[in-house]
Amino acid sequence: MNKQLKRLLAMSEKPSRLIVGLMSGTSLDGLDIALCKVSGVNESSKLEVISFTTIAYDDSYRSRIVELFAKPNGRLIDVCTANNWVAKTHADMLMKCLKRWDTDPNEIDLIASHGQTIFHAPDNQTPSTLQIGDGDHIAQITNIITISDFRQKHVAAGGDGAPLVPYADYLLYKDPKQDRLLLNIGGIANFTLLPAACQFKDMICTDTGPGNTLMDAYVKRETNGHLQFDDRGAIALTGDVDYGLLQELKNTRFLTQNAPKSTGQELFNLSYVDQAVNHCKQMRYAEQLSLEITDKDLLREALHNKNQISFENVMATLNQFTADTISEEINTQLNSANIDPTKLHIYTSGGGPKNKVLMNNIAINLPECHFHHFEVLGLKADSKEAALFALLANQSIFGDTQVYKSANASHSDEIHSGPAVSLGKISLPN
């Protein structure tokens, strides 16, 4: 028998396992590394984060991924080489991190590597998603069994490939008495709704639309890269919401689709904002030009200046758009699940909660709900996604997919909560 398979068999007998979760999101801030102790399997699973850090990406990493990310056309050689280069970059980051933590790599049982998403197209005629950062390269460099490419099985089984963390959310955070909603606002916003004492089929998980991605991208461009994001929503706070622009931003089929659904920067990007802004200005321009004024040239010049939407107002509107799409989807699902909003406890994570204006806008939209920082559940919010992928790896190798099924589950239940599958590919070192 292959010695690495023997390692897996030996791991199955251990009461707990050391698993490193690696997560790289669409915001391209850096690589999240979570060293986790995972005990048990299925609904007896327990997770403890021993160490966590985020290693920031340099400009060369960001620029190389940006050239590939969400582009409908690209060179195969660039995708092919980046697949290996991302894996090597992440593996090197991990090995340096373990050394800094004074942790012997031989003590690590598994690596759970999310990889770097460069394209996500669940609505294509052939649904597809692509995360680069080859697991075999990571396994070979680190000499640690690596579980990677988690999203492909989900797509193969009829899911969207996202969001995936609800599979771990269900195991760790369902509560016998409390209705919970775990809201993660990263580049894209998503949530997991866990009704009290729920089974997997009762869970609702979905993307809602943009999280930080539109605000971040607009700030970067309009400040020529001097600012990477709107710190605490300070720019948005100085502007006013342009309600005409807000309605233009909401004019997309995605927002009317039924959950579960997933999206990405393939839709919500700077072109999306520019089209909304330009259409808004053109409509106003056309309305005002219809006035019977003899000097049309003078009127055009005046209207061009009048109809400009300031940087601050665009930021305020993008902030409100993000808040509205999150809260409207939450309200839709609360109604669907017949959950009283006065009894709902919302636990927030991701970069979004640092934007005070955004969180205030969401709270205004959901005045009856109770908001908490995710950390009160015992896990640091920044480490959540990396840690939960470590749990998914444990479940993939040692768990049972029956935990995601119930005796009375129907096909429609599976569509609602996601396919009951183990996730991830296994890469064995030599």
Side-chain angles (χ1 to χ4, degrees), residues 8-19:
L8 286 174
L9 286 174
M11 281 181 220
S12 68
E13 302 298 325
K14 298 171 68 173
S16 64
R17 290 163 279 274
L18 284 178
I19 304 177

Side-chain angles (χ1 to χ4, degrees), residues 185 210-220 228-230 233 236 273 311 314-315 317-320 322-323 352 355 358:
I185 308 175
N212 304 310
T213 187
L214 295 183
M215 295 183 287
D216 288 355
Y218 198 76
V219 165
K220 289 175 188 177
Q228 297 295 309
F229 58 94
D230 185 8
V273 177
F311 168 51
V314 172
M315 286 303 299
T317 307
L318 290 176
N319 194 297
Q320 189 69 55
T322 301
N355 187 318
L358 175 63

Side-chain angles (χ1 to χ4, degrees), residues 98-141:
L98 292 178
K99 185 175 182 180
R100 194 163 61 245
W101 287 340
D102 196 25
T103 300
D104 186 346
N106 293 321
E107 297 176 0
I108 306 300
D109 292 303
L110 299 171
I111 294 171
S113 175
H114 171 267
Q116 183 68 62
T117 297
I118 61 169
F119 209 84
H120 185 65
D123 292 330
N124 274 11
Q125 186 174 359
T126 302
S128 56
T129 187
L130 182 61
Q131 289 70 45
I132 59 174
D134 178 63
D136 284 336
H137 282 71
I138 295 174
Q140 193 66 21
I141 292 169

